[in-house]
Coordinates of all heavy atoms in Angstrom, one line a residue:
M1 N -51.2 -68.9 -6.1 CA -52.4 -69.8 -6.3 C -51.9 -71.2 -6.6 O -51.0 -71.4 -7.4 CB -53.3 -69.2 -7.3 CG -54.5 -70.1 -7.6 SD -55.6 -69.3 -8.8 CE -57.1 -69.5 -8.0
E2 N -52.6 -72.2 -6.0 CA -52.2 -73.6 -6.3 C -53.2 -74.1 -7.4 O -54.4 -73.9 -7.3 CB -52.4 -74.4 -5.0 CG -51.7 -75.7 -5.0 CD -50.2 -75.6 -5.2 OE1 -49.6 -74.6 -4.7 OE2 -49.6 -76.4 -5.9
Y3 N -52.6 -74.8 -8.4 CA -53.3 -75.4 -9.5 C -53.3 -76.9 -9.4 O -52.3 -77.5 -8.9 CB -52.7 -74.9 -10.8 CG -52.8 -73.4 -11.0 CD1 -51.6 -72.6 -10.9 CD2 -54.0 -72.8 -11.3 CE1 -51.7 -71.3 -11.0 CE2 -54.0 -71.4 -11.5 CZ -52.9 -70.7 -11.4 OH -52.9 -69.3 -11.5
T4 N -54.3 -77.5 -10.0 CA -54.3 -79.0 -10.1 C -53.4 -79.4 -11.2 O -53.0 -78.6 -12.0 CB -55.7 -79.5 -10.4 OG1 -56.1 -79.1 -11.7 CG2 -56.8 -79.0 -9.4
E5 N -53.0 -80.7 -11.1 CA -52.1 -81.3 -12.2 C -52.7 -81.1 -13.5 O -52.0 -80.8 -14.5 CB -51.8 -82.7 -11.9 CG -50.9 -82.9 -10.6 CD -49.6 -82.2 -10.8 OE1 -48.9 -82.2 -11.8 OE2 -49.2 -81.5 -9.8
E6 N -54.1 -81.3 -13.6 CA -54.8 -81.1 -14.9 C -54.6 -79.7 -15.4 O -54.4 -79.5 -16.6 CB -56.2 -81.5 -14.7 CG -57.0 -81.5 -16.0 CD -58.5 -81.9 -15.7 OE1 -58.7 -83.0 -15.2 OE2 -59.4 -81.2 -16.1
Q7 N -54.8 -78.7 -14.5 CA -54.7 -77.3 -14.9 C -53.2 -77.0 -15.4 O -53.0 -76.3 -16.4 CB -55.1 -76.4 -13.8 CG -56.5 -76.4 -13.5 CD -56.8 -75.5 -12.2 OE1 -56.2 -75.7 -11.2 NE2 -57.8 -74.6 -12.3
K8 N -52.3 -77.5 -14.7 CA -50.9 -77.3 -15.0 C -50.6 -77.9 -16.4 O -49.9 -77.2 -17.2 CB -49.9 -77.9 -14.0 CG -50.0 -77.2 -12.6 CD -49.1 -77.9 -11.6 CE -49.2 -77.3 -10.3 NZ -48.3 -78.1 -9.3
E9 N -51.1 -79.1 -16.7 CA -50.9 -79.7 -18.0 C -51.6 -78.8 -19.1 O -51.0 -78.6 -20.2 CB -51.4 -81.1 -18.0 CG -51.0 -81.9 -19.3 CD -49.5 -81.9 -19.5 OE1 -48.7 -82.0 -18.5 OE2 -49.1 -81.9 -20.7
Q10 N -52.7 -78.3 -18.8 CA -53.5 -77.5 -19.7 C -52.7 -76.2 -20.0 O -52.6 -75.7 -21.2 CB -54.8 -77.1 -19.2 CG -55.7 -76.3 -20.2 CD -57.1 -76.0 -19.7 OE1 -57.4 -76.4 -18.6 NE2 -57.8 -75.3 -20.5
F11 N -52.1 -75.6 -19.0 CA -51.3 -74.4 -19.2 C -50.1 -74.7 -20.1 O -49.8 -73.9 -21.0 CB -50.7 -73.9 -17.8 CG -51.8 -73.4 -16.9 CD1 -51.6 -73.4 -15.5 CD2 -53.0 -72.8 -17.3 CE1 -52.5 -73.0 -14.6 CE2 -53.9 -72.4 -16.5 CZ -53.7 -72.4 -15.1
K12 N -49.5 -75.8 -19.9 CA -48.3 -76.2 -20.8 C -48.8 -76.4 -22.2 O -48.1 -75.9 -23.2 CB -47.7 -77.5 -20.3 CG -46.9 -77.3 -19.0 CD -46.3 -78.6 -18.5 CE -45.6 -78.3 -17.1 NZ -45.1 -79.6 -16.6
Q13 N -49.9 -77.0 -22.4 CA -50.5 -77.2 -23.8 C -50.8 -75.8 -24.4 O -50.5 -75.6 -25.6 CB -51.7 -78.1 -23.8 CG -51.4 -79.5 -23.5 CD -52.6 -80.4 -23.3 OE1 -53.7 -79.9 -23.4 NE2 -52.4 -81.7 -23.0
E14 N -51.4 -74.9 -23.7 CA -51.8 -73.6 -24.2 C -50.5 -72.8 -24.5 O -50.5 -72.1 -25.5 CB -52.6 -72.8 -23.1 CG -54.0 -73.3 -23.0 CD -54.8 -72.6 -21.9 OE1 -54.5 -71.3 -21.8 OE2 -55.6 -73.2 -21.3
F15 N -49.5 -72.9 -23.7 CA -48.2 -72.2 -23.9 C -47.6 -72.8 -25.2 O -47.1 -72.0 -26.0 CB -47.3 -72.3 -22.8 CG -45.9 -71.7 -23.1 CD1 -45.8 -70.4 -23.1 CD2 -44.8 -72.5 -23.4 CE1 -44.5 -69.8 -23.4 CE2 -43.6 -72.0 -23.7 CZ -43.5 -70.6 -23.7
A16 N -47.6 -74.1 -25.4 CA -47.1 -74.7 -26.6 C -47.8 -74.1 -27.9 O -47.1 -73.8 -28.9 CB -47.1 -76.2 -26.6
A17 N -49.1 -74.0 -27.8 CA -49.9 -73.4 -28.9 C -49.5 -72.0 -29.2 O -49.3 -71.5 -30.3 CB -51.4 -73.6 -28.7
K18 N -49.3 -71.2 -28.1 CA -49.0 -69.8 -28.2 C -47.6 -69.7 -28.9 O -47.3 -68.8 -29.7 CB -49.0 -69.1 -26.9 CG -50.3 -68.9 -26.3 CD -50.3 -68.3 -24.9 CE -51.6 -68.1 -24.3 NZ -52.2 -66.9 -24.7
R19 N -46.7 -70.6 -28.5 CA -45.3 -70.5 -29.0 C -45.3 -70.9 -30.5 O -44.6 -70.3 -31.2 CB -44.4 -71.5 -28.2 CG -43.0 -71.4 -28.4 CD -42.2 -72.1 -27.3 NE -40.8 -71.8 -27.5 CZ -39.9 -72.7 -27.9 NH1 -40.3 -73.9 -28.2 NH2 -38.6 -72.3 -28.1
R20 N -46.1 -71.9 -30.9 CA -46.2 -72.2 -32.3 C -46.7 -71.0 -33.1 O -46.2 -70.8 -34.2 CB -47.1 -73.4 -32.5 CG -46.5 -74.8 -32.4 CD -47.4 -75.9 -32.9 NE -48.7 -75.9 -32.2 CZ -48.9 -76.5 -31.0 NH1 -47.9 -77.1 -30.4 NH2 -50.1 -76.6 -30.4
R21 N -47.7 -70.3 -32.6 CA -48.2 -69.2 -33.3 C -47.2 -68.1 -33.4 O -47.0 -67.5 -34.5 CB -49.5 -68.6 -32.6 CG -50.7 -69.5 -32.7 CD -52.0 -68.8 -32.3 NE -52.0 -68.5 -30.8 CZ -52.6 -69.3 -29.9 NH1 -53.2 -70.4 -30.3 NH2 -52.6 -68.9 -28.7
Q22 N -46.4 -67.9 -32.4 CA -45.3 -66.9 -32.5 C -44.3 -67.3 -33.5 O -43.8 -66.5 -34.3 CB -44.6 -66.8 -31.1 CG -45.4 -66.1 -30.0 CD -45.7 -64.7 -30.3 OE1 -46.8 -64.3 -30.4 NE2 -44.7 -63.8 -30.4
L23 N -43.9 -68.6 -33.6 CA -43.0 -69.1 -34.6 C -43.5 -68.9 -36.0 O -42.8 -68.5 -36.9 CB -42.7 -70.6 -34.4 CG -41.6 -70.9 -33.4 CD1 -41.5 -72.4 -33.1 CD2 -40.3 -70.4 -33.9
M24 N -44.8 -69.2 -36.2 CA -45.4 -69.0 -37.5 C -45.4 -67.6 -38.0 O -45.3 -67.3 -39.2 CB -46.9 -69.6 -37.5 CG -46.9 -71.1 -37.5 SD -48.5 -71.9 -37.4 CE -49.7 -70.7 -37.8
L25 N -45.5 -66.7 -37.1 CA -45.5 -65.2 -37.4 C -44.1 -64.8 -37.6 O -43.9 -63.9 -38.4 CB -46.1 -64.4 -36.2 CG -46.1 -62.9 -36.4 CD1 -47.1 -62.5 -37.5 CD2 -46.6 -62.2 -35.1
S26 N -43.1 -65.4 -37.0 CA -41.7 -64.9 -37.1 C -41.2 -65.0 -38.5 O -40.4 -64.1 -38.9 CB -40.8 -65.7 -36.1 OG -41.2 -65.5 -34.8
A27 N -41.4 -66.1 -39.2 CA -40.9 -66.3 -40.5 C -41.2 -65.2 -41.5 O -40.3 -64.6 -42.1 CB -41.3 -67.7 -41.1
P28 N -42.5 -64.8 -41.6 CA -42.8 -63.7 -42.6 C -42.2 -62.4 -42.1 O -41.8 -61.6 -42.9 CB -44.3 -63.6 -42.6 CG -44.8 -64.9 -42.0 CD -43.7 -65.5 -41.2
L29 N -42.2 -62.2 -40.8 CA -41.6 -60.9 -40.3 C -40.1 -60.8 -40.6 O -39.6 -59.7 -41.0 CB -41.8 -60.8 -38.8 CG -43.3 -60.4 -38.4 CD1 -43.4 -60.3 -36.9 CD2 -43.7 -59.1 -39.0
V30 N -39.4 -61.9 -40.5 CA -38.0 -61.9 -40.8 C -37.8 -61.6 -42.3 O -36.9 -60.8 -42.6 CB -37.3 -63.2 -40.4 CG1 -35.9 -63.4 -41.0 CG2 -37.3 -63.4 -38.9
I31 N -38.6 -62.2 -43.1 CA -38.5 -61.9 -44.6 C -38.7 -60.4 -44.9 O -38.0 -59.8 -45.6 CB -39.5 -62.8 -45.3 CG1 -39.0 -64.3 -45.2 CG2 -39.6 -62.4 -46.8 CD1 -40.0 -65.3 -45.7
V32 N -39.7 -59.9 -44.2 CA -40.1 -58.4 -44.5 C -38.9 -57.6 -44.0 O -38.5 -56.6 -44.7 CB -41.4 -58.0 -43.7 CG1 -41.5 -56.5 -43.7 CG2 -42.5 -58.7 -44.4
V33 N -38.3 -57.8 -42.8 CA -37.2 -57.0 -42.3 C -36.0 -57.1 -43.3 O -35.4 -56.1 -43.6 CB -36.9 -57.5 -40.9 CG1 -35.6 -56.8 -40.5 CG2 -38.0 -57.1 -39.9
V34 N -35.7 -58.3 -43.8 CA -34.6 -58.5 -44.7 C -34.9 -57.7 -46.0 O -34.0 -57.1 -46.5 CB -34.3 -60.0 -45.0 CG1 -33.4 -60.2 -46.2 CG2 -33.8 -60.7 -43.8
L35 N -36.1 -57.8 -46.5 CA -36.4 -57.0 -47.7 C -36.2 -55.5 -47.5 O -35.7 -54.8 -48.3 CB -37.9 -57.3 -48.1 CG -38.1 -58.7 -48.8 CD1 -39.6 -58.9 -49.1 CD2 -37.3 -58.8 -50.1
F36 N -36.7 -55.1 -46.3 CA -36.5 -53.6 -46.0 C -35.0 -53.3 -45.9 O -34.6 -52.2 -46.3 CB -37.2 -53.3 -44.7 CG -38.7 -53.1 -44.8 CD1 -39.4 -53.4 -46.0 CD2 -39.5 -52.6 -43.8 CE1 -40.8 -53.2 -46.1 CE2 -40.8 -52.4 -43.9 CZ -41.5 -52.7 -45.1
M37 N -34.2 -54.2 -45.3 CA -32.8 -53.9 -45.2 C -32.2 -53.8 -46.6 O -31.3 -53.0 -46.9 CB -32.1 -54.9 -44.4 CG -32.5 -54.8 -42.9 SD -31.9 -56.2 -41.9 CE -30.1 -56.1 -42.2
L38 N -32.6 -54.7 -47.5 CA -32.0 -54.7 -48.9 C -32.5 -53.4 -49.6 O -31.8 -53.0 -50.6 CB -32.4 -55.9 -49.6 CG -31.8 -57.2 -49.1 CD1 -32.4 -58.4 -49.9 CD2 -30.3 -57.2 -49.3
A39 N -33.7 -52.9 -49.3 CA -34.2 -51.7 -50.0 C -33.7 -50.4 -49.4 O -34.0 -49.4 -49.9 CB -35.7 -51.8 -50.0
D40 N -33.0 -50.5 -48.3 CA -32.5 -49.3 -47.6 C -31.5 -48.6 -48.5 O -30.5 -49.2 -48.9 CB -31.9 -49.7 -46.3 CG -31.4 -48.5 -45.5 OD1 -31.8 -47.4 -45.8 OD2 -30.6 -48.7 -44.5
N41 N -31.7 -47.3 -48.8 CA -30.8 -46.6 -49.7 C -30.0 -45.6 -49.0 O -29.5 -44.7 -49.6 CB -31.6 -46.0 -50.8 CG -32.6 -44.9 -50.4 OD1 -32.7 -44.7 -49.2 ND2 -33.3 -44.3 -51.3
R42 N -29.8 -45.7 -47.7 CA -29.0 -44.7 -46.9 C -27.5 -44.9 -47.3 O -26.8 -43.9 -47.1 CB -29.2 -44.8 -45.4 CG -30.6 -44.3 -45.0 CD -30.7 -44.4 -43.5 NE -31.0 -45.8 -43.2 CZ -31.2 -46.3 -42.0 NH1 -31.0 -45.5 -41.0 NH2 -31.5 -47.5 -41.8
R43 N -27.1 -46.0 -47.7 CA -25.7 -46.3 -48.0 C -25.4 -46.2 -49.5 O -24.5 -46.8 -50.0 CB -25.3 -47.6 -47.5 CG -25.3 -47.7 -46.0 CD -25.2 -49.1 -45.5 NE -26.5 -49.6 -45.8 CZ -27.0 -50.7 -45.2 NH1 -26.3 -51.3 -44.3 NH2 -28.2 -51.1 -45.4
G44 N -26.3 -45.5 -50.2 CA -26.1 -45.4 -51.7 C -27.2 -46.1 -52.4 O -28.4 -46.0 -51.9
A45 N -26.9 -46.8 -53.5 CA -28.0 -47.4 -54.2 C -28.5 -48.6 -53.5 O -27.7 -49.5 -53.0 CB -27.4 -47.8 -55.6
P46 N -29.8 -48.8 -53.4 CA -30.4 -50.0 -52.8 C -30.2 -51.2 -53.6 O -30.1 -51.2 -54.8 CB -31.9 -49.6 -52.6 CG -32.1 -48.7 -53.8 CD -30.9 -47.9 -53.9
L47 N -30.0 -52.3 -52.9 CA -29.9 -53.6 -53.6 C -31.2 -54.1 -54.2 O -31.2 -54.9 -55.1 CB -29.4 -54.7 -52.6 CG -28.0 -54.4 -52.1 CD1 -27.6 -55.5 -51.0 CD2 -26.9 -54.4 -53.2
L48 N -32.3 -53.6 -53.7 CA -33.6 -54.0 -54.1 C -34.5 -52.8 -54.0 O -34.5 -52.0 -53.1 CB -34.1 -55.1 -53.1 CG -35.5 -55.7 -53.4 CD1 -35.4 -56.5 -54.6 CD2 -35.8 -56.6 -52.2
V49 N -35.3 -52.6 -55.1 CA -36.3 -51.5 -55.1 C -37.7 -52.1 -54.9 O -38.1 -53.0 -55.7 CB -36.2 -50.7 -56.4 CG1 -37.3 -49.7 -56.5 CG2 -34.8 -50.1 -56.6
L50 N -38.4 -51.7 -53.8 CA -39.7 -52.2 -53.5 C -40.7 -51.2 -53.9 O -40.6 -50.0 -53.6 CB -39.8 -52.5 -52.1 CG -38.9 -53.6 -51.5 CD1 -39.1 -53.7 -50.0 CD2 -39.2 -55.0 -52.1
P51 N -41.8 -51.7 -54.6 CA -42.9 -50.7 -54.9 C -43.5 -50.3 -53.6 O -43.5 -50.9 -52.6 CB -43.9 -51.6 -55.7 CG -43.1 -52.8 -56.1 CD -42.0 -53.0 -55.1
P52 N -44.1 -49.1 -53.6 CA -44.8 -48.5 -52.4 C -45.8 -49.5 -51.8 O -45.9 -49.6 -50.6 CB -45.4 -47.2 -52.9 CG -44.6 -46.8 -54.1 CD -44.2 -48.1 -54.7
A53 N -46.6 -50.2 -52.7 CA -47.6 -51.1 -52.1 C -46.9 -52.2 -51.3 O -47.5 -52.6 -50.2 CB -48.4 -51.7 -53.3
V54 N -45.8 -52.7 -51.7 CA -45.1 -53.7 -51.0 C -44.6 -53.2 -49.7 O -44.6 -53.8 -48.6 CB -44.0 -54.3 -51.8 CG1 -43.1 -55.3 -51.0 CG2 -44.6 -55.0 -53.1
M55 N -44.1 -51.9 -49.7 CA -43.6 -51.3 -48.5 C -44.7 -51.1 -47.5 O -44.5 -51.4 -46.3 CB -42.9 -49.9 -48.8 CG -41.7 -50.0 -49.7 SD -40.3 -50.7 -48.8 CE -39.8 -49.4 -47.8
W56 N -45.8 -50.7 -47.9 CA -47.0 -50.5 -47.0 C -47.5 -51.8 -46.5 O -47.8 -51.9 -45.3 CB -48.1 -49.7 -47.7 CG -47.8 -48.2 -47.8 CD1 -47.5 -47.5 -48.9 CD2 -47.7 -47.3 -46.7 NE1 -47.3 -46.2 -48.6 CE2 -47.4 -46.0 -47.2 CE3 -47.9 -47.4 -45.3 CZ2 -47.2 -44.9 -46.5 CZ3 -47.8 -46.3 -44.6 CH2 -47.4 -45.0 -45.1
A57 N -47.5 -52.8 -47.3 CA -47.9 -54.1 -46.9 C -47.0 -54.7 -45.8 O -47.4 -55.3 -44.8 CB -48.0 -55.1 -48.1
G58 N -45.7 -54.5 -46.1 CA -44.7 -54.9 -45.1 C -44.8 -54.2 -43.8 O -44.7 -54.8 -42.7
L59 N -45.0 -52.9 -43.8 CA -45.2 -52.1 -42.6 C -46.5 -52.6 -41.9 O -46.5 -52.7 -40.6 CB -45.3 -50.6 -42.9 CG -44.0 -50.0 -43.3 CD1 -44.2 -48.5 -43.7 CD2 -43.0 -50.0 -42.1
G60 N -47.5 -52.9 -42.6 CA -48.8 -53.4 -42.1 C -48.5 -54.7 -41.4 O -49.1 -55.0 -40.3
L61 N -47.7 -55.6 -42.0 CA -47.4 -56.9 -41.4 C -46.6 -56.7 -40.1 O -46.9 -57.4 -39.1 CB -46.7 -57.8 -42.4 CG -46.3 -59.2 -41.9 CD1 -47.5 -60.0 -41.6 CD2 -45.4 -59.9 -42.9
I62 N -45.7 -55.8 -40.1 CA -44.9 -55.6 -38.9 C -45.8 -55.0 -37.8 O -45.7 -55.5 -36.6 CB -43.8 -54.6 -39.2 CG1 -42.7 -55.3 -40.1 CG2 -43.1 -54.1 -37.9 CD1 -41.6 -54.4 -40.6
L63 N -46.7 -54.1 -38.1 CA -47.6 -53.6 -37.1 C -48.5 -54.7 -36.6 O -48.8 -54.8 -35.4 CB -48.4 -52.4 -37.7 CG -49.4 -51.8 -36.7 CD1 -48.7 -51.2 -35.5 CD2 -50.3 -50.8 -37.4
F64 N -49.1 -55.5 -37.5 CA -49.9 -56.6 -37.1 C -49.1 -57.6 -36.2 O -49.7 -58.0 -35.2 CB -50.4 -57.4 -38.3 CG -51.1 -58.7 -38.0 CD1 -52.4 -58.7 -37.5 CD2 -50.4 -59.9 -38.1 CE1 -53.0 -59.9 -37.2 CE2 -51.0 -61.1 -37.8 CZ -52.3 -61.1 -37.3
G65 N -47.9 -57.8 -36.5 CA -47.0 -58.7 -35.7 C -46.8 -58.2 -34.3 O -46.9 -59.0 -33.4
L66 N -46.6 -56.9 -34.2 CA -46.4 -56.3 -32.9 C -47.7 -56.5 -32.0 O -47.7 -56.9 -30.9 CB -46.0 -54.9 -33.0 CG -44.6 -54.6 -33.5 CD1 -44.4 -53.1 -33.8 CD2 -43.6 -55.2 -32.6
V67 N -48.8 -56.1 -32.6 CA -50.1 -56.2 -31.9 C -50.4 -57.7 -31.5 O -50.8 -58.0 -30.4 CB -51.3 -55.5 -32.7 CG1 -52.6 -55.8 -32.0 CG2 -51.0 -54.1 -32.8
F68 N -50.3 -58.5 -32.5 CA -50.5 -60.0 -32.3 C -49.7 -60.5 -31.2 O -50.2 -61.2 -30.3 CB -50.3 -60.8 -33.6 CG -50.5 -62.2 -33.4 CD1 -51.8 -62.8 -33.4 CD2 -49.4 -63.1 -33.2 CE1 -51.9 -64.2 -33.2 CE2 -49.6 -64.4 -33.0 CZ -50.8 -65.0 -33.0
S69 N -48.4 -60.2 -31.2 CA -47.5 -60.7 -30.2 C -47.8 -60.2 -28.8 O -47.8 -61.0 -27.8 CB -46.0 -60.4 -30.5 OG -45.6 -61.1 -31.6
F70 N -48.2 -59.0 -28.7 CA -48.6 -58.4 -27.4 C -49.8 -59.1 -26.9 O -49.9 -59.3 -25.7 CB -48.8 -56.9 -27.5 CG -49.0 -56.2 -26.2 CD1 -48.0 -56.1 -25.3 CD2 -50.3 -55.8 -25.9 CE1 -48.2 -55.5 -24.1 CE2 -50.5 -55.2 -24.6 CZ -49.5 -55.1 -23.7
K71 N -50.7 -59.5 -27.7 CA -52.0 -60.2 -27.3 C -51.7 -61.7 -27.1 O -52.3 -62.2 -26.1 CB -53.1 -59.9 -28.2 CG -53.6 -58.5 -28.3 CD -55.0 -58.5 -28.8 CE -55.7 -57.3 -28.4 NZ -56.4 -57.2 -27.2
N72 N -51.0 -62.3 -27.9 CA -50.8 -63.7 -27.9 C -49.8 -64.1 -26.8 O -50.0 -65.2 -26.1 CB -50.2 -64.2 -29.2 CG -50.0 -65.7 -29.3 OD1 -50.9 -66.5 -29.1 ND2 -48.8 -66.1 -29.5
W73 N -48.7 -63.4 -26.6 CA -47.6 -63.9 -25.8 C -47.9 -63.5 -24.3 O -47.2 -62.7 -23.7 CB -46.3 -63.2 -26.2 CG -45.1 -63.9 -25.8 CD1 -44.0 -63.3 -25.1 CD2 -44.7 -65.3 -26.0 NE1 -43.1 -64.3 -24.9 CE2 -43.4 -65.5 -25.4 CE3 -45.3 -66.3 -26.6 CZ2 -42.8 -66.7 -25.4 CZ3 -44.6 -67.5 -26.7 CH2 -43.4 -67.7 -26.1
R74 N -48.9 -64.2 -23.8 CA -49.3 -64.0 -22.4 C -49.4 -65.4 -21.7 O -49.6 -66.4 -22.3 CB -50.7 -63.4 -22.4 CG -50.6 -62.0 -23.0 CD -51.8 -61.1 -22.6 NE -51.5 -59.8 -23.0 CZ -51.0 -58.8 -22.2 NH1 -50.7 -59.1 -21.0 NH2 -50.9 -57.6 -22.7
C75 N -49.2 -65.3 -20.4 CA -49.2 -66.5 -19.6 C -50.6 -67.1 -19.6 O -51.6 -66.4 -19.4 CB -48.8 -66.2 -18.1 SG -49.0 -67.5 -17.0
P76 N -50.7 -68.4 -19.8 CA -52.1 -69.0 -19.8 C -52.7 -69.1 -18.4 O -53.9 -69.2 -18.3 CB -51.8 -70.4 -20.4 CG -50.4 -70.7 -20.3 CD -49.7 -69.3 -20.2
A77 N -51.9 -68.9 -17.4 CA -52.5 -69.0 -16.0 C -52.9 -67.6 -15.5 O -54.0 -67.4 -15.1 CB -51.4 -69.6 -15.1
C78 N -52.0 -66.6 -15.6 CA -52.3 -65.3 -15.0 C -52.7 -64.2 -16.1 O -53.2 -63.2 -15.7 CB -51.2 -64.8 -14.1 SG -49.7 -64.4 -15.0
G79 N -52.4 -64.5 -17.3 CA -52.7 -63.5 -18.4 C -51.7 -62.4 -18.6 O -51.9 -61.5 -19.4
K80 N -50.6 -62.4 -17.8 CA -49.6 -61.3 -17.9 C -48.7 -61.6 -19.1 O -48.4 -62.7 -19.5 CB -48.8 -61.3 -16.6 CG -49.6 -61.0 -15.4 CD -50.1 -59.6 -15.4 CE -50.9 -59.4 -14.0 NZ -51.6 -58.2 -14.0
Y81 N -48.1 -60.5 -19.6 CA -47.2 -60.6 -20.7 C -45.9 -61.3 -20.3 O -45.4 -61.2 -19.2 CB -46.8 -59.1 -21.2 CG -45.9 -59.1 -22.4 CD1 -46.4 -59.5 -23.6 CD2 -44.6 -58.6 -22.3 CE1 -45.6 -59.5 -24.8 CE2 -43.8 -58.5 -23.4 CZ -44.3 -59.0 -24.7 OH -43.5 -58.9 -25.8
L82 N -45.5 -62.2 -21.2 CA -44.3 -63.1 -20.9 C -43.0 -62.5 -21.1 O -42.0 -63.1 -20.9 CB -44.5 -64.4 -21.7 CG -45.6 -65.3 -21.2 CD1 -45.8 -66.5 -22.2 CD2 -45.4 -65.8 -19.8
G83 N -42.9 -61.3 -21.7 CA -41.7 -60.6 -21.9 C -41.0 -61.0 -23.2 O -41.7 -61.6 -24.1
R84 N -39.8 -60.6 -23.4 CA -39.1 -60.8 -24.7 C -38.5 -62.1 -24.9 O -38.0 -62.5 -25.9 CB -38.1 -59.6 -24.8 CG -38.8 -58.3 -25.0 CD -38.0 -57.1 -25.0 NE -36.6 -57.3 -25.4 CZ -35.7 -56.3 -25.5 NH1 -36.0 -55.1 -25.0 NH2 -34.5 -56.6 -25.9
S85 N -38.3 -62.9 -23.8 CA -37.8 -64.2 -23.9 C -38.7 -65.1 -24.8 O -39.9 -65.1 -24.6 CB -37.5 -64.8 -22.5 OG -37.1 -66.2 -22.7
F86 N -38.1 -65.9 -25.7 CA -38.9 -66.8 -26.5 C -39.2 -68.1 -25.9 O -40.2 -68.7 -26.3 CB -38.2 -67.0 -27.9 CG -39.1 -67.7 -28.8 CD1 -40.2 -67.0 -29.4 CD2 -38.9 -69.0 -29.2 CE1 -41.1 -67.6 -30.2 CE2 -39.8 -69.6 -30.1 CZ -40.9 -68.9 -30.6
G87 N -38.4 -68.5 -25.0 CA -38.7 -69.9 -24.4 C -38.7 -69.9 -22.9 O -37.9 -70.7 -22.3
P88 N -39.5 -69.1 -22.2 CA -39.4 -69.2 -20.8 C -39.9 -70.5 -20.3 O -40.8 -71.1 -20.8 CB -40.4 -68.0 -20.3 CG -41.3 -67.9 -21.5 CD -40.5 -68.2 -22.7
R89 N -39.3 -71.0 -19.2 CA -39.8 -72.2 -18.6 C -40.9 -72.0 -17.6 O -41.7 -72.8 -17.3 CB -38.6 -73.0 -18.0 CG -37.6 -73.4 -18.9 CD -36.8 -74.5 -18.4 NE -35.9 -75.1 -19.4 CZ -36.2 -76.0 -20.3 NH1 -37.4 -76.4 -20.4 NH2 -35.3 -76.4 -21.2
H90 N -40.9 -70.8 -17.0 CA -41.9 -70.4 -16.0 C -42.3 -68.9 -16.3 O -41.6 -68.2 -16.9 CB -41.3 -70.4 -14.6 CG -40.9 -71.8 -14.2 ND1 -39.7 -72.3 -14.5 CD2 -41.5 -72.7 -13.5 CE1 -39.6 -73.5 -14.0 NE2 -40.7 -73.8 -13.4
C91 N -43.6 -68.6 -15.9 CA -44.1 -67.3 -16.1 C -43.3 -66.4 -15.1 O -43.1 -66.7 -13.9 CB -45.5 -67.2 -15.7 SG -46.2 -65.6 -15.7
P92 N -42.7 -65.2 -15.6 CA -42.0 -64.4 -14.7 C -42.9 -63.7 -13.7 O -42.4 -63.2 -12.7 CB -41.4 -63.3 -15.7 CG -42.2 -63.4 -16.9 CD -42.8 -64.8 -17.0
K93 N -44.2 -63.7 -13.9 CA -45.1 -63.0 -12.9 C -45.6 -63.9 -11.8 O -45.5 -63.7 -10.7 CB -46.3 -62.3 -13.7 CG -45.9 -61.4 -14.8 CD -45.1 -60.2 -14.3 CE -45.0 -59.2 -15.4 NZ -43.7 -58.9 -15.8
C94 N -46.2 -65.1 -12.3 CA -46.9 -66.0 -11.3 C -46.1 -67.2 -11.0 O -46.4 -67.9 -10.1 CB -48.3 -66.3 -11.8 SG -48.3 -67.4 -13.3
G95 N -45.1 -67.5 -11.8 CA -44.2 -68.7 -11.6 C -44.7 -70.0 -12.1 O -44.1 -71.0 -11.8
V96 N -45.9 -70.1 -12.7 CA -46.4 -71.3 -13.2 C -45.4 -71.9 -14.3 O -44.9 -71.2 -15.1 CB -47.8 -71.2 -13.7 CG1 -47.9 -70.5 -15.1 CG2 -48.5 -72.5 -13.9
A97 N -45.3 -73.2 -14.3 CA -44.4 -73.9 -15.3 C -45.1 -73.9 -16.6 O -46.3 -74.2 -16.7 CB -44.1 -75.3 -14.8
L98 N -44.3 -73.5 -17.6 CA -44.9 -73.4 -19.0 C -44.4 -74.5 -19.9 O -45.0 -74.8 -20.9 CB -44.5 -72.0 -19.6 CG -45.0 -70.8 -18.9 CD1 -44.4 -69.6 -19.4 CD2 -46.5 -70.7 -18.9
R99 N -43.3 -75.2 -19.5 CA -42.8 -76.3 -20.3 C -42.4 -77.4 -19.4 O -42.2 -77.3 -18.3 CB -41.6 -75.9 -21.1 CG -41.9 -74.8 -22.1 CD -40.9 -74.6 -23.2 NE -39.7 -73.9 -22.8 CZ -38.6 -74.0 -23.4 NH1 -38.4 -74.8 -24.5 NH2 -37.6 -73.3 -23.0

């Protein structure tokens, strides 16, 4: 499908907003994963003991992050999932320029 220059620019702006949202979500998720790694006791005594409420909250955040990413990380033109790459220049499905 052929898009106007105005539509192409709008797609780029929408993609930039989606990418910012993904970045804002990434920081808390990295912190949760690091905390879980420190609390892992498979190798002996854990470096950090997390209360069950914190563990459940962390798991909830991870689940939220997965669902949010699946819904957010979509091409603004065709709506297809953009895959695992964090900085695609083009949509792998429809080929529209994203940056």
